[in-house]
Amino acid sequence: NTTVTKLAMAWALKNDNTTVIIVGGRNAKQLKPTFECLDVVEKLTDEVMKDIEKILENKPVRDEKVYGSFGRFVRNFRKISKL
């Protein structure tokens, strides 16, 4: 039970290929739903992520020719815990 927006934000947070997520709003009230996506992140297990990527057929692939290992580090937000 979530919104498409929260699911998209949570998916982007857990995706190792995401470098940055830019959010915005005119006021704090508009940002509240954005930060509520952190509740969804906890529910996106590796299995759920694979299911989403299979359904959408859009699993990102890292292009080693572009990125290589220069300036790139591996981070794993799949282990985010609630603040």
Side-chain angles (χ1 to χ4, degrees):
N1 291 335
T2 190
T3 65
V4 173
T5 302
K6 291 176 190 175
L7 178 59
M9 293 286 294
W11 180 88
L13 277 171
K14 291 194 72 158
N15 186 316
D16 293 334
N17 293 299
T18 301
T19 303
V20 67
I21 300 172
I22 300 173
V23 299
R26 293 184 192 152
N27 55 50
K29 184 178 178 182
Q30 289 180 340
L31 289 175
K32 186 175 185 258
T34 301
F35 295 114
E36 289 173 350
C37 78
L38 296 174
D39 294 330
V40 179
V41 170
E42 294 178 339
K43 297 175 184 175
L44 294 182
T45 63
D46 289 342
E47 183 179 326
V48 172
M49 291 291 285
K50 287 177 186 174
D51 288 345
I52 291 170
E53 291 160 355
K54 183 178 178 183
I55 290 167
L56 297 178
E57 297 178 349
N58 70 343
K59 181 176 180 169
V61 178
R62 182 175 166 191
D63 188 342
E64 292 297 327
K65 289 183 244 171
V66 174
Y67 294 106
S69 61
F70 178 75
R72 186 121 170 132
F73 60 92
V74 176
R75 64 193 187 338
N76 190 342
F77 289 107
R78 293 177 191 245
K79 298 181 181 182
I80 287 179
S81 61
K82 225 174 186 180
L83 300 175

